[in-house]
């Protein structure tokens, strides 16, 4: 049987993998994937702890709201990355050093 501790362990692993990707990668798309993994870890925790609120389904409602916000944030981030690529012809975070003009 899958318990709350299993969900918390998977969530912690997802969060750590996302954090490692953010710290170690220089590509903007890979950094965005790391951020999404961290958001998914938080959403998994919301659903897992929503088990204790069976009447109002608060965890599931917050998780649904977080999924919608994550989708909107990803769309905006990809649009920004595309515009940066058009201007600088790279998405390497270290090579883009002149963002203000």
């Amino acid at each position: 049987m899958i318990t709350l501790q299993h969900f918390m362990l998977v969530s912690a692993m997802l969060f750590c993998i996302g954090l490692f990707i953010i710290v170690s990668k220089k590509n903007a798309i890979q950094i965005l994937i790391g951020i999404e993994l961290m958001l998914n870890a938080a959403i998994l925790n919301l659903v897992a702890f929503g088990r204790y609120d069976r009447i109002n389904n608060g965890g599931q409602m917050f998780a649904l709201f977080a999924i919608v916000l994550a989708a909107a944030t990803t769309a905006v981030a990809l649009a920004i990355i595309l515009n940066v690529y058009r201007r600088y012809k790279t998405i390497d975070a270290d090579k883009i050093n002149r963002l203000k003009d």
Side-chain angles (χ1 to χ4, degrees):
M1 182 174 163
I2 297 177
T3 63
L4 182 64
Q5 287 80 19
H6 290 103
F7 281 115
M8 289 176 56
L9 182 63
V10 170
S11 178
M13 287 173 29
L14 276 175
F15 191 86
C16 290
I17 292 169
L19 186 63
F20 175 74
I21 290 172
I22 289 173
V23 171
S24 65
K25 301 296 182 182
K26 302 298 180 200
N27 188 333
I29 300 292
Q30 292 174 341
I31 292 171
L32 184 62
I33 289 171
I35 292 170
E36 288 297 319
L37 281 174
M38 292 172 70
L39 281 171
N40 285 333
I43 290 168
L44 184 61
N45 266 334
L46 285 172
V47 171
F49 283 106
R51 173 181 184 205
Y52 296 111
D53 185 23
R54 294 178 192 254
I55 297 171
N56 295 329
N57 294 327
Q60 287 82 3
M61 295 300 290
F62 279 125
L64 184 62
F65 185 68
I67 290 169
V68 170
L69 285 179
T73 305
T74 303
V76 170
L78 284 174
I80 291 171
I81 290 170
L82 283 174
N83 283 332
V84 166
Y85 179 75
R86 285 185 193 149
R87 173 122 172 117
Y88 296 103
K89 301 299 183 219
T90 185
I91 54 174
D92 190 0
D94 286 341
K95 293 181 182 175
I96 303 168
N97 56 3
R98 298 178 320 137
L99 283 181
K100 71 173 192 177
D101 275 351

